[in-house]
Amino acid sequence: MTATLGRVFLFPGQGSLVGTPLSQAIARADELAVAREIFREVDYHASEFGMSTAGWWDHAPLVPSRALPEGTPQLVMFATSVALHDALAAQQTQPDALVGCSFGEIAACVVAGALSLADGVRAVCELVRALRDYEGTGGMLLLHESADITQRMLDTLGASRVVVSCRNGPWQTLVSGPPDELDTVLAAAEALDVRVTQLPMVQCLSHHPEAVTTAARYRERLEPIKQSSFGTPVFSPCAGRWYGDEDDLRHYIADNLCRPVNLTSALHELALLGASCFVECGPPGGLAQAAAVTVPFACVHSPLRASARREIESDILTGVGQRSCGP
């Protein structure tokens, strides 16, 4: 990658389904139709696996993610990211590069043209299937603390199976491990007044070295997937580099289960290439905040953040194009 970047879209991983539903964030009828069609197509392809978005577009139920049907939270996050990208593209708000964070790599590769929407849905549904037998064996916590201090906390607690799984920013660190050790970390963090958030959608080891067998099984499930050339560059915080047309995306997408993510390093590299505007392309999961702290000179947007409607009275999406710093 040698071209100078301007606007970068960030695709979030499995956090939680919070923020303004996409169906409520779009005012223009044509963009609404584009986004609605993505949800319809996602449901069509997911029906092969007995999964769906469960009518999320029409009612977006305010219930915990774990109370939704199997696969629905993941499909909603995927569909929201792809549909938001397409709605922004409809108003000529185009990214110069894409960053898929963890699960978000699937959506990033789809909008980049490297994977078809059908294969993107397959990757989501096969992930749900691959993790089915491991539900309840692990989880993730987001600590608002540096990775170094977090690691020292883990060492002091003797939480040997809890690992630093994602470095989201200078003061955002995700850890993954078994439930009992995560409970110990949670209690210690609260006692030390370290702000901590649980990720309800993650119920197994993720970005964890013990998940290597799970990753291999998931990779086998992705065998039918075909890939094409990238129309938009994609940077992987897990692989630590730009993807190329020669890369086997089935391997790298599966690797997210057992390899750590360094979003901080990715944001620094993008900033060095001139990235001046970051857009969180999906449900707000902290990527916008991480970008704002890591690259303080850049403008940052999270279109589906609940407070965004108060800032932009007409159309949340229109504000991204009007106020962005990128070309």
Side-chain angles (χ1 to χ4, degrees):
M1 168 59 66
T2 57
T4 300
L5 303 179
R7 184 185 293 119
V8 176
F9 281 11
L10 307 173
F11 293 79
Q14 297 188 68
S16 60
L17 297 176
V18 297
T20 303
L22 187 57
S23 58
Q24 299 174 24
I26 304 175
R28 290 175 49 174
D30 55 342
E31 294 166 9
L32 198 66
V34 168
R36 179 65 185 90
E37 180 62 16
I38 292 296
F39 271 75
R40 190 197 68 78
E41 291 184 27
V42 166
D43 277 338
Y44 172 78
H45 295 300
S47 64
E48 175 186 344
F49 302 89
M51 302 179 197
S52 75
T53 61
W56 187 274
W57 178 269
D58 297 314
H59 53 74
L62 297 177
V63 297
S65 300
R66 290 162 66 182
L68 295 170
E70 181 185 54
T72 293
Q74 292 81 5
L75 285 168
V76 169
M77 292 200 73
F78 168 78
T80 298
S81 290
V82 175
L84 177 54
H85 166 273
D86 286 6
L88 289 169
Q91 57 175 251
Q92 305 305 311
T93 304
Q94 300 281 3
D96 298 303
L98 311 169
V99 176
C101 192
S102 185
F103 173 78
E105 284 202 4
I106 300 174
C109 288
V110 168
V111 303
L115 297 180
S116 67
L117 183 66
D119 278 341
V121 172
R122 175 180 292 276
V124 173
C125 294
E126 290 293 11
L127 175 63
V128 174
R129 283 181 166 184
L131 298 180
R132 184 181 288 162
D133 295 337
Y134 300 94
E135 185 172 353
T137 61
M140 297 185 81
L141 298 174
L142 169 61
L143 280 71
H144 293 264
E145 188 54 272
S146 71
D148 290 341
I149 292 178
T150 298
Q151 184 60 61
R152 287 202 292 271
M153 181 192 301
L154 299 180
D155 294 340
T156 300
L157 293 172
S160 59
R161 294 183 62 202
V162 178
V163 301
V164 171
S165 53
C166 304
R167 298 168 186 253
N168 276 15
W171 305 105
Q172 284 191 25
T173 305
L174 282 156
V175 298
S176 178
D180 56 341
E181 292 195 16
L182 285 181
D183 288 343
T184 300
V185 175
L186 176 61
E190 292 175 341
L192 294 169
D193 289 328
V194 174
R195 190 152 61 98
V196 58
T197 304
Q198 299 185 58
L199 275 63
M201 288 176 61
V202 182
Q203 295 294 309
C204 60
L205 297 176
S206 185
H207 299 289
H208 196 292
E210 292 182 27
V212 62
T213 300
T214 311
R217 291 175 179 172
Y218 179 39
R219 166 63 181 82
E220 292 174 358
R221 291 176 177 271
L222 298 181
E223 190 61 35
I225 286 179
K226 308 299 181 184
Q227 65 185 76
S228 303
S229 298
F230 284 91
T232 306
V234 173
F235 191 94
S236 167
C238 184
R241 61 175 178 82
W242 297 96
Y243 279 147
D245 291 340
E246 71 282 358
D247 288 321
D248 186 343
L249 295 178
R250 297 167 298 186
H251 169 79
Y252 286 100
I253 288 173
D255 260 6
N256 273 277
L257 288 175
C258 59
R259 294 185 60 183
V261 165
N262 194 332
L263 179 62
T264 306
S265 178
L267 291 171
H268 282 152
E269 180 161 343
L270 292 166
L272 289 174
L273 290 172
S276 58
C277 179
F278 295 93
V279 178
E280 189 167 30
C281 198
L287 294 189
Q289 181 184 5
V293 174
T294 306
V295 192
F297 61 80
C299 61
V300 176
H301 302 279
S302 185
L304 301 186
R305 182 166 51 90
S307 59
R309 179 163 293 281
R310 295 194 296 271
E311 298 171 4
I312 307 169
E313 294 182 357
S314 57
D315 183 357
I316 292 177
L317 303 190
T318 299
V320 176
Q322 289 177 342
R323 299 189 299 166
S324 64
C325 304

